[in-house]
Amino acid sequence: MTEPHTTLEGRVALVTGASRGLGAAIARGYADAGAAVVAVARSVDQLEQVVQHDPERISAARLDVRDPDSARSLLEEAQATTVDALQELRSLVRGIHPPVLSDRGLVGAIEALAVDMKLPVDVEARLDGHPPAPVESAAYFAVAECLANAGKHADATRVTVQVHHADDTLHLAVEDDGHGGARADGDGGLTGIARRLNAFDGQLTVTSPDGGPTRVAMMVPCELSSAKT
């Protein structure tokens, strides 16, 4: 029964590797950094569950090995490394936040994206507070990716962005009047959005028949903080 040991070791390696790669992602721009932040946040949450909330699995891993002393030493080192990584990575996750989100909030940031588009973009949005910063960043980058797709690939003449919060869930939708045929598969941008939202138990649904329109609907469970904070 060495699977917990393997899983823990693998997760420690994943988080420490993600930490090293985060600086390079920042240098490539906020879009890449946003993807890295979401991936790191997901790894952090998984590690917390194993290290802090599931000690029996770690104990079992210590007992069922051929070399208990070596395994115990490795696990203790991994636990210590994980605690340090958790603290550092949570600071990084909090620190990477596009300035426009801090200055204007998610709705204002999306309105700024709309202004920069070459085609008309209607923004229908209302939020009575702020999502958690990592969720807000993920939502911002998701909408930015959808707008970029509409402008570059869809031959659209108009785009509508909708944002609201209901039933403890952030709802976003981007719809364009382009030629349709968009798919959230392979290694495309929509697949990347789905992966980032999944880090927060979010969902992405694409409706894009041939001939259009294309509608990308996104849902992320979260609470809003007060609009005054």
Side-chain angles (χ1 to χ4, degrees), residues 70-151:
S70 296
R72 185 178 297 109
S73 177
L74 174 62
L75 284 165
E76 289 175 351
E77 180 181 354
Q79 285 177 272
T81 301
T82 299
V83 170
D84 292 340
L86 287 171
Q87 294 175 347
E88 180 179 355
L89 290 174
R90 286 219 179 274
S91 296
L92 287 170
V93 168
R94 288 194 297 268
I96 299 177
H97 203 60
V100 68
L101 286 174
S102 300
D103 295 341
R104 303 182 59 176
L106 181 59
V107 172
I110 290 174
E111 290 173 341
L113 288 173
V115 170
D116 289 337
M117 292 288 291
K118 294 182 179 180
L119 68 164
V121 178
D122 299 317
V123 179
E124 303 170 359
R126 176 180 174 83
L127 292 177
D128 296 323
H130 300 283
V135 173
E136 191 173 51
S137 292
Y140 171 79
F141 290 121
V143 171
E145 180 76 23
C146 290
L147 289 176
N149 287 343

Side-chain angles (χ1 to χ4, degrees), residues 183-200:
R183 300 289 184 270
D185 54 20
D187 296 324
L190 292 177
T191 301
I193 294 174
R195 184 173 59 251
R196 297 168 204 169
L197 297 182
N198 184 59
F200 302 102

